[in-house]
Amino acid sequence: MQLTHPTAGAPVTATYWMDHAWLGTHVEPGVTLDVADGRVAGIRTGVGAAPPGATALRGLTLPGLANTHSHAFHRALRATVQVGSGTFWTWRELMYRTASRLTPDTYFDLARATYAEMALAGITSVGEFHYLHHAPGGTPYANPNAMGEALIAAAAEAGIRITLLDTAYLAAGFGEQPNRHQLRFSDTTAEAWAERASLLKGDDHALIGAAVHSVRAVPAGQLATVAQWAQERRAPLHVHLSEQPAENDACRAAHGRTPTRLLADHGVLGPRTTGIHNTHLTEADIELLGSSATGTCMCPTTERDLADGIGPAAALQKAGSPLSLGSDSHAVIDLFEEARAMELNERLRTHVRGHWTAAALLRAASADGHAALGRPEAGVLEPGAPADLTTVALDSVRTAGPVPRLAAETVVFAASAADVRHTVVAGRHIVRDGRHTRIEDVPRALAEAVSALHG
C-alpha cells in the first residue's frame, strides 16, 4: 500500500477562477479563490474572466462535499443484493458473506476505488464507520490496525480526506455473544477496543474518531468507555440509532427504555455525537437528541434500499439536531441524490413541498457534514477554510436551461454525481474535467476489486 496524502508534498499556491460560485447564501458570478498552504487565502468577486495563471472552473463551484457515513466494503454489494426480496436482516447475511472475504490488501483495493468514485462525485471528505478489524474468526492481525490503516491509505491514494470512525462492535444482540461472522468485528471488551483504537494515528488527512456500532452491539455497561475515549480526544463519536423497529423492541425488553434514552443515560449524546439514521424515534427521543445538540446523519438512498423507513429529519432539525448526509451502503454514491431525497421523502410523508431550501440541503451535504466529521472549519468558501472544492456542470442535459442565479436549485434538484467536473482537495486538482488525476481508470479499478471478492 503506497501512501500519498492529498495534503502531502510542497505547499500549494494556486488561483482558481470560478465563473459561478456558491457563497453560502447565493450564487456569485466571476469569483477568484487564492490558495496558500492548502487553505483559502482570499476570495475576490466581480472578476469577469480568468486572470493570467488562474485555473478556470466552469459551472457552479461549491465547497467540497462531506460523505458523513460510509461502509466502504458495502460497495461490493451493489446489484448483487437487488436479487429477490427480503428485509434488512436478510440483506445483512449477504453483507456478512462479503465481509468474510476481505483481507487488508483486498480491502485497500476496494476502498481505494470506492473513495475514487466519491472524489468523482465531488466528495472531499468521508466518514468511514469501520468495524472490520480482525481476521476471520477474530484473530488479530500482526498489526492490530491493519484494516483501519488500509482504509486511511486508500483514502490518501484516492485523494480525499477521511475521518476513520473506529467502531466498537462487541455483541450480536442484547446479552448475545458475537456470531461467527461478527467475531472479526469484536475486540471482546470496550477496554480492549480502546487500547487498540488508541494506536491509530491521525493527521491533517486522516482524523481518528470513534463509533458505537449500535446499542445491540455494545453492552450498556461499556457504552461509557467508548464515549469517554472520544471525549478525552475531543473526537467525533457516531452511532447507528433506531434504524430498525426490532432494535427498539429488543432494547425496551432488555433495558425498559428506548435506544436514545439508553445512550443518554450512559453519556453518549452530545454536540460531538452523530446518530446515524435516527429513523424510528419517539417524540421524547427527538427532544433528547435535539436538546443535547446530537447530530443526525440521514442516508436516504440506503434507508429506502433497505426498506428502513423515513426518519423524522425535519422534526429533528427543528428540535436542534444538525443534519448531515451519507451514502452508507453505496447503493449509489451521489450526495445530490441524498440531499434531494431527504426533501422528497418528507414531501411524500407529509404531502407538503418545500421543507428545506437548496441552501439548507447544500449545508447538510457540506458544512454540517464536515463538522460531524471533526472539521468544523470546512465546507465553506471563506478565507482560512480548507481549499476543498467541487464544480458541477451547468450545461449537461440535466442542468442546462435554468438561469445561473438558480444554479443551487438546479444542482440540488436535478444534477447527479455524473455532472461533477472538478474536485479540489487542499488546493490540488483530484478530479479534472471529470477524470480522476491519480487513478487512471476508476471503473476498471472498481470492477477488479469487486471481482476479487466474488470470484
Side-chain angles (χ1 to χ4, degrees):
M1 286 173 248
Q2 191 176 7
L3 189 62
T4 306
H5 290 181
T7 55
V12 171
T13 299
T15 297
Y16 290 95
W17 176 80
M18 303 166 279
D19 64 351
H20 292 89
W22 176 248
L23 298 185
T25 57
H26 65 286
V27 175
E28 183 75 28
V31 179
T32 60
L33 182 146
D34 296 320
V35 178
D37 296 332
R39 292 187 173 269
V40 178
I43 295 269
R44 287 170 288 159
T45 60
V47 184
T55 299
L57 304 177
R58 299 190 182 277
L60 178 65
T61 298
L62 313 163
L65 305 179
N67 189 355
T68 306
H69 188 64
S70 162
H71 300 292
F73 77 91
H74 290 191
R75 177 60 179 81
L77 301 173
R78 191 179 292 181
T80 62
V81 292
Q82 304 300 346
V83 179
S85 61
T87 66
F88 167 85
W89 306 102
T90 53
W91 169 90
R92 192 174 71 159
E93 291 303 312
L94 295 172
M95 179 269 287
Y96 284 158
R97 228 173 288 164
T98 299
S100 69
R101 300 185 179 117
L102 285 161
T103 67
D105 287 339
T106 59
Y107 205 5
F108 169 80
D109 291 339
L110 178 60
R112 173 179 176 268
T114 301
Y115 295 152
E117 182 181 356
M118 291 184 195
L120 289 167
I123 293 162
T124 58
S125 189
V126 61
E128 184 62 38
F129 200 102
H130 165 57
Y131 54 82
L132 198 57
H133 302 305
H134 308 298
T139 302
Y141 290 103
N143 171 2
N145 284 307
M147 295 294 267
E149 290 178 6
L151 292 166
I152 291 171
E157 286 283 304
I160 69 172
R161 304 180 195 268
I162 185 171
T163 297
L164 187 73
L165 298 155
D166 196 279
T167 304
Y169 193 139
L170 309 173
F174 298 98
E176 298 178 28
Q177 293 298 309
N179 65 34
R180 62 186 178 89
H181 297 294
Q182 296 162 340
L183 287 171
R184 71 181 308 191
F185 309 160
S186 177
D187 291 294
T188 69
T189 68
E191 288 77 12
W193 166 83
E195 183 177 351
R196 180 188 51 73
S198 296
L199 299 174
L200 289 160
K201 304 300 181 187
D203 55 23
D204 191 52
H205 154 67
L207 302 183
I208 307 302
V212 170
H213 179 272
S214 56
V215 293
R216 69 178 185 273
V218 177
Q222 300 187 59
L223 290 169
T225 300
V226 184
Q228 184 178 356
W229 188 95
Q231 182 177 1
E232 288 172 352
R233 290 160 178 77
R234 301 188 65 79
L237 174 62
H238 289 205
V239 54
H240 289 132
L241 179 57
S242 289
E243 182 178 3
Q244 292 291 324
E247 176 183 284
N248 292 351
D249 294 343
C251 188
R252 286 192 183 95
H255 297 288
R257 66 200 81 178
T258 66
T260 302
R261 180 77 257 179
L262 186 68
L263 293 174
D265 291 346
H266 290 274
V268 177
L269 303 186
R272 285 195 301 277
T273 300
T274 298
I276 312 301
H277 304 301
N278 295 2
T279 305
H280 302 282
L281 303 175
T282 66
E283 290 185 8
D285 291 338
I286 293 170
E287 174 58 28
L288 273 172
L289 293 167
S291 62
S292 62
T294 299
T296 294
C297 177
M298 302 297 292
C299 306
T301 64
T302 292
E303 289 150 6
R304 69 192 184 196
D305 183 59
L306 299 182
D308 285 343
I310 299 172
L316 281 159
Q317 187 173 54
K318 184 177 180 180
S321 179
L323 299 179
S324 58
L325 298 165
S327 63
D328 191 0
S329 69
H330 311 316
V332 297
I333 294 176
D334 188 336
L335 264 287
F336 304 122
E337 177 63 19
E338 304 293 346
R340 68 174 156 264
M342 186 165 71
E343 164 67 24
L344 299 181
N345 284 353
E346 192 71 6
R347 293 183 187 186
L348 287 173
R349 194 178 68 80
T350 63
H351 302 173
V352 175
R353 303 176 75 243
H355 300 272
W356 291 277
T357 63
L361 293 169
L362 285 174
R363 182 173 179 85
S366 56
D368 285 346
H370 290 293
L373 297 179
R375 301 183 190 272
E377 75 285 3
V380 292
L381 302 184
E382 295 176 1
D388 298 353
L389 323 170
T390 185
T391 303
V392 185
L394 296 178
D395 58 358
S396 76
V397 292
R398 288 166 293 277
T399 60
V403 295
R405 66 179 176 81
L406 295 177
E409 286 77 9
T410 301
V411 166
V412 170
F413 290 102
S416 78
D419 296 312
V420 171
R421 291 295 173 263
H422 304 280
T423 303
V424 173
V425 180
R428 290 182 171 83
H429 236 124
I430 301 302
V431 173
R432 187 190 298 269
D433 296 321
R435 296 188 64 83
H436 203 284
T437 62
R438 298 181 173 204
I439 300 172
E440 184 175 348
D441 191 339
V442 176
R444 180 177 177 180
L446 284 163
E448 290 177 349
V450 171
S451 175
L453 299 178
H454 295 316

